[in-house]
Amino acid sequence: MTRRVLTATMSLTLLSAPAWAANRDMERLQIQVSTLQTQISDLQKVAEENLKELKRLNEQIAAQSAAFQKLVQDRRAQDESAQLGLKEVTERMSDLAERLQDGHSASAPAPAPTGGATFGGPSTTSPTPSAGGAAPATPTSPPQTLPAPRELYSQAYADYARGNYDVAVQGFQEYLRSYPNTDFSDNAQYWIGECLYGKQKYAEAIEAWNTLLRDFPSSDKLPDARFKKGLALERLGRRSQALVEYRYVVDRYPNSEAGRKAREKLSAP
């Protein structure tokens, strides 16, 4: 009897051993799964934080890029104004030199008259009265002078920078009427397009830039005009034509700032 009990006990022990081992394996797997879930959760948090930081950095880069673009634009305007001022000073110096030369010629002594009165004698000449005793005609007033090129251009650009687009357009148009062939005439035509673009008159802005392309084919404003023309076309819903302008800028002016912006436009979805 004792032998039977012992045999049964040993059989139960052997049968329960695999179940106990299986429970241990199950617990170990559960611990591993829990650990993995915790690690995945931590990784997701890190990814979310990295995404937020990347977004913040992108916004910061965009803001810095916009500030840099404004700085470049302001610097370009200052350079244009300085060049125009230098040209104006040179023209004034040339005009002053001509006036001094004319004054020197006028102040030279007149040659002594030959014949007529003897030295020291009374003059035999007298002023001839005008016919009918009328008074001599008064000199006409000098024509009204135009504003200096630098002053006119700088004022128009200042109005553009302040957002006074209508006044700026009038100023640039007056500059073109008064000084159609200066080094800054093409710039004035370009900024007319920018003013119209700022007023959301995209079709008129395109016409202004087309005038620049036609009348000033060697202007250094052509890359910017072509790119901005593409933007205006997109605003009008004519993207296929805008892409033509972007490709032209990239092909003809690949190293310009306008070329870089055009490449970004072409790569955008």
Side-chain angles (χ1 to χ4, degrees):
M1 182 70 180
T2 304
R3 181 179 297 178
R4 290 179 180 178
V5 172
L6 182 60
T7 302
T9 302
M10 291 180 64
S11 299
L12 290 173
T13 302
L14 291 173
L15 290 173
S16 62
W20 176 81
N23 290 336
R24 290 292 302 271
D25 292 339
M26 184 66 68
E27 290 178 358
R28 189 179 300 110
L29 288 175
Q30 289 177 346
I31 293 173
Q32 291 177 352
V33 169
S34 176
T35 302
L36 288 174
Q37 289 177 340
T38 302
Q39 292 176 350
I40 291 172
S41 178
D42 293 340
L43 288 174
Q44 288 177 342
K45 291 180 181 179
V46 172
E48 290 175 358
E49 292 176 356
N50 290 338
L51 185 61
K52 291 180 181 179
E53 180 66 14
L54 180 61
K55 184 178 180 181
R56 186 188 68 81
L57 290 175
N58 286 335
E59 293 175 351
Q60 183 177 359
I61 291 173
Q64 291 177 350
S65 178
F68 178 74
Q69 292 298 326
K70 187 177 184 303
L71 179 63
V72 170
Q73 188 176 19
D74 292 342
R75 180 59 181 271
R76 184 182 302 174
Q78 292 175 359
D79 291 343
E80 291 175 357
S81 180
Q83 293 176 13
L84 192 60
L86 179 61
K87 185 174 174 38
E88 181 185 354
V89 169
T90 303
E91 292 176 352
R92 287 184 177 180
M93 291 179 63
S94 177
D95 182 61
L96 180 60
E98 291 179 359
R99 291 183 181 181
L100 290 174
Q101 182 65 30
D102 293 342
H104 177 73
S105 300
S107 62
T114 58
T118 58
F119 179 78
S123 172
T124 59
T125 61
S126 60
T128 303
S130 58
T138 57
T140 58
S141 59
Q144 185 178 3
T145 58
L146 294 172
R150 179 175 181 272
E151 178 183 351
L152 189 57
Y153 183 91
S154 298
Q155 182 59 49
Y157 186 83
D159 289 325
Y160 162 76
R162 288 192 292 264
N164 300 329
Y165 297 131
D166 290 330
V167 180
V169 168
Q170 294 176 2
F172 287 124
Q173 288 176 341
E174 178 64 24
Y175 183 91
L176 286 170
R177 283 192 296 268
S178 303
Y179 309 101
N181 297 314
T182 69
D183 293 338
F184 290 89
S185 299
D186 57 329
N187 295 52
Q189 184 63 46
Y190 172 81
W191 291 114
I192 289 175
E194 284 282 6
C195 291
L196 294 171
Y197 186 90
K199 289 173 60 64
Q200 299 182 0
K201 295 184 176 181
Y202 303 120
E204 296 180 25
I206 291 172
E207 292 179 3
W209 287 319
N210 284 339
T211 300
L212 172 69
L213 301 177
R214 183 188 67 243
D215 295 347
F216 304 96
S218 60
S219 171
D220 58 354
K221 286 291 187 181
L222 296 187
D224 294 328
R226 287 277 190 176
F227 175 73
K228 292 306 293 281
K229 181 181 174 182
L231 293 182
L233 288 168
E234 278 203 272
R235 295 286 186 175
L236 294 174
R238 295 151 62 180
R239 178 164 173 76
S240 60
Q241 297 180 25
L243 294 177
V244 172
E245 295 296 331
Y246 297 149
R247 292 192 186 97
Y248 183 91
V249 175
V250 171
D251 292 340
R252 291 292 300 274
Y253 313 102
N255 298 323
S256 65
E257 181 65 18
R260 182 188 66 80
K261 294 178 180 178
R263 276 191 296 273
E264 292 178 355
K265 281 292 183 179
L266 290 173
S267 61

